[in-house]
């Protein structure tokens, strides 16, 4: 018998858990007829009698936030299944745990690994569900889920084979349309038992999308941190090497901000006044900074120059006052609404194909060219670092390209 620890106060105790432990997205899918206050053996009996020979989703809670583990298992009646030919059944029969655990589920993973899901039959405050697999030994049953069978859950569906190994985002969209239609013949033709089965598949696809985005975002964030660290080193090296030293008293920040101020419509005379210089000196300084930037293999100068388009009031312009236009209230509205940003982008693109000036499109939204430049500077880095925006972008572009193609880009738009 395995060494055990006292579980009276362990969070796995069924007395401290309930259906509320699961996320709202799965609660409507769970078979709530399975007892949560019966003895463990009785719960096993209920599950086996109801689902023997059927594949189901088996859920166990992973953390206090309602996240959970899920596995597709075949529910088995051990009295009938123990003589099956699979190796895992033979191994468990020869193990020292047959009096302590009762197999109720079988799982074969995509990579060919076999597992038996075990309900603990010992009389403990919280008998744990275990999985017996190739890494189990005569002294260790296998991985435990930190939960009694009474705290786990059964979803009586699995995903039809034709939807496996497909893009989850595409599957979710396809099944949402099927659910919206809600036609029994179409549902059964697609391989589902009922609308509830379709809703289960939608939830699973959406979860796959969320998990996939989170994993990819984590990798992207890690890469971004490395790139930021490398850029910081580049900037430090450029500074120590004199590459970022001011030219005739005008720093890189001054020069970058001045260029943005000019491009945003501020008169050159005002810019030169802030810099306390004259045009011949400015021309010489600007040419020298451009030359340095073209020869800068560290891209430190380009980084500071690009940052100025997000914050044009840097360097001496931070205290100068009366700086470059900060954008209208409509610009702020677009900065806070990604869908509106994509909508305007599509509107301009469609307009350009018809020879309509993009500036006239912007006027329909109360925006100037300067406003749009600042909005773009706001969203561009976010789109490059936030994968959820990338996932939203394609369907939004499809939606608004179709809308403007059919409605005509020159018409007035309200929002």
């Amino acid at each position: 018998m395995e060494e055990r620890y006292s579980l009276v106060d362990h969070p796995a105790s069924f007395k401290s858990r309930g259906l509320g432990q699961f996320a709202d997205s799965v609660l409507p899918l769970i078979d709530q007829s399975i007892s949560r206050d019966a003895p463990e053996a009785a719960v096993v009996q209920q599950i086996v009698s109801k689902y023997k020979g059927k594949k189901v989703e088996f859920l166990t809670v992973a953390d206090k936030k309602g996240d959970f583990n899920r596995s597709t298992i075949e529910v088995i009646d051990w009295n009938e299944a123990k003589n099956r030919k699979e190796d895992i059944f033979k191994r468990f029969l020869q193990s020292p745990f047959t009096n302590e655990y009762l197999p109720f589920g079988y799982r074969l993973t995509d990579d060919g690994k076999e597992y038996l899901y075990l309900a603990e039959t010992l009389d403990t405050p919280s008998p744990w569900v275990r999985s017996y697999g190739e890494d189990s030994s005569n002294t260790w049953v296998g991985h435990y889920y930190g939960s009694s069978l009474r705290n786990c859950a059964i979803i009586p569906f699995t995903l039809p084979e034709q939807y496996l190994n497909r893009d989850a985002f595409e599957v979710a969209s396809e099944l949402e349309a099927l659910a919206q239609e809600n036609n029994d013949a179409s549902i059964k033709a697609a391989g589902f038992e009922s609308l509830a089965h379709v809703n289960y598949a939608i939830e699973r696809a959406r979860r796959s999308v969320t998990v996939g985005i989170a994993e990819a975002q984590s990798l992207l964030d890690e890469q971004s941190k490395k790139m930021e660290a490398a850029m910081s080193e580049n900037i430090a090296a450029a500074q120590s090497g004199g590459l970022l030293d001011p030219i005739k008293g005008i720093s890189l920040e001054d020069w970058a901000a001045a260029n943005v101020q000019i491009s945003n419509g501020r008169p050159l005379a005002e810019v030169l006044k802030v810099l306390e210089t004259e045009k011949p000196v400015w021309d010489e300084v600007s040419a020298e900074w451009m030359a340095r930037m073209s020869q800068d293999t560290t891209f430190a100068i380009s980084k500071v120059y690009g940052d100025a388009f997000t914050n044009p009031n840097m360097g001496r312009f931070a205290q100068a006052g009366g700086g470059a236009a900060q954008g209208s209230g409509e610009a702020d509205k677009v900065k806070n609404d990604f869908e509106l940003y994509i909508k305007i982008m599509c509107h301009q693109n469609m307009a350009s194909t018809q020879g309509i000036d993009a500036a006239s499109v912007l006027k329909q939204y109360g925006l100037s060219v300067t406003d749009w430049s600042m909005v773009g500077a706001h969203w561009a880095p976010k789109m490059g670092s936030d994968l959820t925006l990338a996932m939203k972008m394609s369907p939004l572009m499809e939606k608004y390209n179709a809308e403007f193609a059919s409605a005509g880009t020159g018409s007035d738009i309200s929002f």
Side-chain angles (χ1 to χ4, degrees):
M1 175 176 161
E2 272 195 317
E3 182 180 0
R4 298 286 307 203
Y5 299 93
S6 173
L7 300 177
V8 175
D9 297 318
H10 194 280
S13 172
F14 77 93
K15 295 178 182 178
S16 64
R17 302 302 249 328
L19 283 176
Q21 68 190 302
F22 292 103
D24 291 342
S25 60
V26 301
L27 277 176
L29 305 170
I30 290 173
D31 179 355
Q32 299 191 27
S33 71
I34 304 298
S35 296
R36 304 183 71 80
D37 56 1
E40 202 79 354
V43 176
V44 174
Q45 186 177 9
Q46 287 182 61
I47 293 173
V48 171
S49 63
K50 194 167 186 178
Y51 297 114
K52 180 178 67 172
K54 181 179 173 64
K55 286 188 176 180
V56 299
E57 287 284 337
F58 182 66
L59 309 184
T60 58
V61 171
D63 59 38
K64 294 180 180 178
K65 296 179 181 178
D67 198 6
F68 52 89
N69 295 311
R70 69 192 310 163
S71 304
T72 298
I73 67 169
E74 173 196 348
V75 177
I76 60 173
D77 182 333
W78 182 238
N79 288 326
E80 299 176 7
K82 58 186 176 183
N83 294 320
R84 283 172 53 161
K85 63 181 181 179
E86 290 93 337
D87 180 65
I88 197 71
F89 290 87
K90 298 174 183 176
R91 284 189 55 219
F92 183 75
L93 276 172
Q94 296 168 3
S95 77
F97 306 115
T98 54
N99 292 325
E100 301 167 22
Y101 297 92
L102 178 63
F104 65 89
Y106 168 73
R107 180 187 179 201
L108 178 64
T109 65
D110 292 338
D111 57 359
K113 293 181 180 178
E114 292 183 312
Y115 293 93
L116 288 179
Y117 281 68
L118 314 176
E120 187 176 328
T121 56
L122 298 176
D123 185 18
T124 64
S126 184
W128 287 357
V129 171
R130 301 270 188 154
S131 63
Y132 182 85
E134 62 179 26
D135 52 351
S136 301
S137 67
N138 282 347
T139 57
W140 185 66
V141 180
H143 174 72
Y144 63 88
Y145 290 98
S147 212
S148 156
L149 187 58
R150 288 164 280 185
N151 291 322
C152 300
I154 297 288
I155 295 179
F157 305 115
T158 57
L159 197 63
E161 289 188 8
Q162 63 266 34
Y163 294 98
L164 297 174
N165 302 317
R166 282 185 54 190
D167 179 82
F169 191 84
E170 178 185 294
V171 168
S173 299
E174 182 179 319
L175 296 182
E176 283 165 0
L178 183 64
Q180 183 68 29
E181 181 187 358
N182 193 14
N183 177 279
D184 285 343
S186 299
I187 287 172
K188 286 184 168 53
F192 295 97
E193 300 173 12
S194 61
L195 179 59
H197 194 178
V198 176
N199 288 332
Y200 153 78
I202 291 172
E203 182 277 330
R204 179 165 166 175
R206 286 174 178 167
R207 178 174 169 81
S208 294
V209 170
T210 301
V211 170
I213 289 176
E215 290 175 351
Q217 185 68 55
S218 178
L219 292 174
L220 183 60
D221 291 345
E222 184 179 348
Q223 187 63 29
S224 295
K225 287 179 182 178
K226 291 179 180 178
M227 292 175 66
E228 288 173 6
M231 180 55 71
S232 295
E233 291 178 3
N234 288 345
I235 292 175
Q239 287 173 332
S240 64
L243 186 63
L244 305 186
D245 288 350
I247 300 172
K248 294 187 179 299
I250 296 177
S251 70
L252 171 58
E253 288 79 7
D254 292 337
W255 173 70
N259 276 292
V260 178
Q261 299 272 338
I262 293 168
S263 69
N264 283 343
R266 191 170 187 182
L268 176 61
E270 286 188 20
V271 172
L272 296 179
K273 185 176 180 181
V274 173
L275 296 176
E276 298 178 313
T277 191
E278 298 185 357
K279 189 174 185 303
V281 177
W282 165 254
D283 290 341
E284 183 181 346
V285 168
S286 191
E288 177 60 27
W289 274 120
M290 286 296 294
R292 284 192 190 182
M293 186 161 64
S294 66
Q295 299 165 12
D296 177 20
T297 58
T298 68
F299 300 102
I301 296 177
S302 298
K303 171 71 166 57
V304 176
Y305 189 80
D307 288 346
F309 282 86
T310 301
N311 174 26
N313 294 323
M314 62 167 54
R316 299 192 203 189
F317 294 92
Q319 294 86 28
Q326 295 302 298
S328 65
E330 300 305 322
D332 290 337
K333 185 182 295 185
V334 184
K335 285 182 180 179
N336 292 314
D337 189 337
F338 181 67
E339 181 170 350
L340 179 57
Y341 172 65
I342 298 300
K343 178 178 181 178
I344 298 172
M345 182 192 299
C346 292
H347 196 170
Q348 289 185 96
N349 291 342
M350 282 294 176
S352 68
T353 66
Q354 300 178 20
I356 299 173
D357 180 32
S360 67
V361 174
L362 291 175
K363 286 181 181 178
Q364 296 184 41
Y365 297 89
L367 300 170
S368 66
V369 174
T370 299
D371 288 333
W372 187 245
S373 174
M374 297 179 72
V375 167
H378 169 80
W379 281 115
K382 290 181 179 293
M383 291 166 65
S385 60
D386 186 345
L387 288 178
T388 58
L389 294 181
M391 294 296 292
K392 291 177 181 178
M393 184 174 178
S394 181
L396 286 174
M397 289 190 72
E398 259 185 59
K399 171 184 174 181
Y400 287 114
N401 282 338
E403 178 180 318
F404 293 121
S406 61
T409 54
S411 57
D412 288 338
I413 301 294
S414 61
F415 60 92

